[in-house]
Amino acid sequence: MGPRREAGPFPWEGETEPVKSLFGKLADGTKVHRWSLENGGTRLQVLDWGGVVQGLEIPDRKGRYANVSLGFDNIDDYVARTPYFGALIGRYGNRMAEGRFTLDGETYQLSVNDGVNSLHGGTQGFDKHIWDVEPFAEGSDVGLVLHRTSVDGEMGYPGTLKAKVTYTLTRHGDWIIDYEATTDKATVVNLTSHVYWNLAGEGSGTIEDHELTIEASRYTPTDTGLIPTGELATVAGTPFDFRRTKAIGRDIRDGHVQQVQAKGYDHNWVLDKGITSKPEHVATLRDPRSGRTLKIATDQPGLQFYSGNFLDGTLTGTGGRSYRQGDALCLETQHFPDSPNQANFPSTVLRPGQTYRTRTVHTFSA
């Protein structure tokens, strides 16, 4: 017997192709649309605003669905208040020290939006633009292809960058993200997805009892501004060791200096596999109560684990409940933060004639 279908906001009963609906309007009257798609027991809702994953439903061990991603039920909150709920991040995911980098002898000043630093592409990153969306249903897959052109100089980044991101749901219920980009001038690129996960269901409370495994022996410590120091530190003997499965809350209050300044976990793990030609398994997240499990595979060298430290109860989500500290976590596949300013980190430079390509696979079970 398959998972039970229950009444909810996901309007796709009997549909095999993505369904488009009006989600809201921006202040200037621009319409924001939501796309709903389902395959293999996974239900996904995506906005053309920022490529935002507005909802993602998967069943528990008893076949009961829950939305496991944090989000809002209106566009106004996404525009004014979101901490990147479900967003596509670019041009550069994570932080850039003092909002600047030097490439080929030229220094570029970026948009600064996190103290003196630049975060997730600046004040008007990829998450704050309307994307062109094309739905598809090919073979046993359904999905969306999102396109956006970032002009030369946008948020201070050089080069006109043409970005293409594909969200695919497979017949097995896997959610695959394929990122592509080309440029007409040397630049730096680091695209990622900023879904906030709670496998017990959004608004259900803490994720500290979720069990996590990360295939990484090292991580990148940060300074007080959460910029990597350049060190690749061992996780052995520290709260950052997730090589064996453990509850997130087990060591989160250990008082390690890195935890104190980040208010929990907000660090990049250096994946043991490094950069690979195809996605390899790097992390497993499980909610013991529901049995819901998420496995992540990627070709990227890093994984940013953020434990929802800055959620403070002031945001109300899709289910009508407030989100408090530790009510969700992010697992962002990526290159390392501040790589353009760190000579010993893998390069994020993209040049004309090259194509930036990366894939991340999310596999769900219960």
Side-chain angles (χ1 to χ4, degrees):
M1 179 181 296
R4 295 202 300 271
R5 299 180 182 272
E6 300 175 357
F10 293 78
W12 43 47
E13 293 295 340
E15 296 289 345
T16 57
E17 296 187 0
V19 177
K20 182 181 181 181
S21 60
L22 180 65
F23 184 70
K25 294 182 180 180
L26 302 179
D28 64 0
T30 300
K31 293 181 179 179
V32 175
H33 295 95
R34 176 171 60 190
W35 291 87
S36 302
L37 51 156
E38 178 183 18
N39 203 13
T42 298
R43 303 169 172 178
L44 181 65
Q45 288 196 310
V46 176
L47 305 182
D48 55 12
W49 169 260
V52 164
V53 173
Q54 193 257 339
L56 197 158
E57 286 198 353
I58 56 175
D60 67 6
R61 62 168 65 91
K62 295 183 178 180
R64 297 172 297 194
Y65 276 96
N67 179 11
V68 298
S69 66
L70 273 58
F72 298 117
D73 63 3
N74 65 91
I75 189 58
D76 291 344
D77 279 345
Y78 278 110
V79 172
R81 311 182 69 200
T82 183
Y84 303 98
F85 285 153
L88 273 180
I89 301 298
R91 289 189 189 190
Y92 200 96
N94 222 302
R95 292 173 173 86
M96 193 86 72
E98 298 183 350
R100 68 171 67 102
F101 69 93
T102 299
L103 178 60
D104 296 338
E106 185 170 351
T107 297
Y108 296 92
Q109 180 60 56
L110 309 176
S111 166
V112 172
N113 61 333
D114 184 49
V116 300
N117 303 317
S118 183
L119 175 65
H120 294 330
T123 56
Q124 296 291 317
F126 281 11
D127 60 297
K128 295 178 178 66
H129 292 272
I130 295 287
W131 289 63
D132 294 326
V133 180
E134 300 174 8
F136 68 87
E138 298 176 357
S140 59
D141 295 338
V142 298
L144 306 170
V145 181
L146 299 93
H147 295 271
R148 178 168 193 275
T149 297
S150 175
V151 299
D152 183 25
E154 183 177 85
M155 296 294 100
Y157 286 90
T160 295
L161 190 83
K162 294 184 177 181
K164 173 185 173 184
V165 179
T166 304
Y167 291 163
T168 302
L169 290 184
T170 73
R171 65 185 178 88
H172 300 294
D174 296 348
W175 174 39
I176 301 174
I177 309 178
D178 286 295
Y179 306 88
E180 294 184 26
T182 58
T183 184
D184 62 358
K185 183 179 180 180
T187 191
V188 295
V189 185
N190 188 29
L191 306 183
T192 190
S193 173
H194 210 291
V195 172
Y196 282 68
W197 301 99
N198 186 322
L199 296 184
E202 63 82 31
S204 65
T206 183
I207 47 80
E208 289 192 8
D209 57 351
H210 280 38
E211 298 168 348
L212 179 64
T213 310
I214 303 176
E215 306 289 342
S217 303
R218 297 175 295 170
Y219 75 106
T220 52
T222 63
D223 62 19
T224 55
L226 302 184
I227 297 293
T229 63
E231 179 186 5
L232 304 182
T234 181
V235 300
T238 78
F240 295 84
D241 193 347
F242 284 89
R243 291 173 295 177
R244 293 186 178 181
T245 303
K246 69 178 180 182
I248 290 170
R250 195 186 83 177
D251 300 326
I252 202 169
R253 292 174 177 80
D254 270 21
H256 190 287
V257 63
Q258 286 292 309
Q259 292 175 301
V260 171
Q261 62 191 25
K263 296 182 172 60
Y265 295 110
D266 192 2
H267 295 78
N268 168 69
W269 268 252
V270 180
L271 300 172
D272 289 341
K273 69 172 190 61
I275 299 172
T276 46
S277 60
K278 61 183 180 180
E280 295 184 11
H281 175 261
V282 296
T284 299
L285 180 69
R286 181 176 183 271
D287 170 39
R289 289 176 292 170
S290 65
R292 293 187 185 95
T293 300
L294 164 65
K295 292 185 176 181
I296 295 178
T298 185
D299 49 20
Q300 294 288 274
L303 181 76
Q304 183 82 10
F305 165 36
Y306 168 57
S307 54
N309 314 326
F310 296 101
L311 299 174
D312 60 5
T314 62
L315 303 178
T316 300
T318 50
R321 296 183 178 182
S322 64
Y323 298 146
R324 302 190 66 85
Q325 187 179 51
D327 278 359
L329 64 99
C330 301
L331 296 168
E332 304 155 63
T333 56
Q334 58 173 24
H335 269 257
F336 304 168
D338 199 39
S339 288
N341 297 313
Q342 305 276 354
N344 63 322
F345 286 2
S347 174
T348 56
V349 174
L350 180 68
R351 298 187 180 277
Q354 299 176 333
T355 300
Y356 171 96
R357 287 192 181 92
T358 177
R359 168 178 281 197
T360 294
V361 180
H362 306 82
T363 300
F364 306 103
S365 62

